[in-house]
Amino acid sequence: IIIISAVVVILIYWIRYKKKPEVKPEEKVSSPGVDELLLPAQFAIDKDDRLFYATLRDCIWNFFRSHFVLRGSELNKEILFRHLNSPGNQQDVIIGIDAIFRQCEAGMFTLADLGENKTAVLERTKIHLRHYDNRYSNTNKINNYGKFILTS
């Protein structure tokens, strides 16, 4: 009886005075801005075309990776453009981003003269990405199903 009483007292004490787990507030991580994400491309502007266009393409993907919830196998143009074609997005911006992706691929994999200087391509990219930077700032993200999720 003494042992059972001791066990019961210990259990009551443990249940009553058990520490509750600390709840840490979620830290809001701000997405880097367009200019910050395009810095590597800015630095590669004086390099050869293949390096510049590969860097620019990587910067664009990094932008969309940080503004949309895209991971792993979702990092492809088909899924990206499905997200971009959501209501409220301007078709001319979507077409412009597609054109930049195509220009990057042409610059990376061909020796053709693309007819546009790299500074102009970079500026055009900034304009198009700023549309999404403003639209999907830190308060709005898109989940894997193309729906908005609130993060604030």
Side-chain angles (χ1 to χ4, degrees):
I1 290 185
I2 295 174
I3 294 174
I4 293 173
S5 298
V7 170
V8 169
V9 168
I10 291 171
L11 283 174
I12 291 172
Y13 178 81
W14 181 71
I15 290 171
R16 184 175 236 187
Y17 296 105
K18 180 173 74 169
K19 277 189 171 179
K20 292 185 172 103
E22 290 182 31
V23 178
K24 293 182 181 179
E26 278 189 36
E27 294 181 25
K28 292 184 180 181
V29 179
S30 62
S31 298
V34 172
D35 293 324
E36 184 179 345
L37 284 169
L38 290 177
L39 270 178
Q42 183 72 45
F43 293 136
I45 211 159
D46 295 329
K47 309 295 183 202
D48 71 336
D49 284 354
R50 286 183 185 199
L51 179 63
F52 169 74
Y53 285 110
T55 305
L56 180 61
R57 184 197 60 182
D58 292 344
C59 290
I60 294 169
W61 275 114
N62 288 338
F63 173 83
F64 286 118
R65 195 176 296 126
S66 72
H67 283 69
F68 298 131
V69 182
L70 298 174
R71 302 284 181 255
S73 64
E74 296 174 330
L75 292 173
N76 66 59
K77 287 197 302 187
E78 180 182 336
I79 292 175
L80 173 65
F81 282 100
R82 193 176 318 139
H83 287 303
L84 296 181
N85 279 313
S86 65
N89 289 330
Q90 299 172 357
Q91 280 301 103
D92 60 328
V93 175
I94 296 167
I95 291 168
I97 289 172
D98 185 44
I100 292 168
F101 268 122
R102 291 177 192 273
Q103 189 167 5
C104 287
E105 291 164 0
M108 290 167 47
F109 302 119
T110 68
L111 296 174
D113 181 21
L114 300 177
E116 185 176 11
N117 75 33
K118 294 182 265 189
T119 304
V121 173
L122 188 60
E123 288 305 313
R124 198 163 38 99
T125 303
K126 286 179 184 180
I127 290 168
H128 291 309
L129 294 183
R130 281 191 182 119
H131 170 78
Y132 292 102
D133 197 29
N134 295 333
R135 182 159 164 72
Y136 304 113
S137 63
N138 291 333
T139 58
N140 294 320
K141 296 283 182 183
I142 293 183
N143 68 11
N144 298 342
Y145 306 103
K147 305 291 183 195
F148 286 107
I149 54 175
L150 295 176
T151 57
S152 63

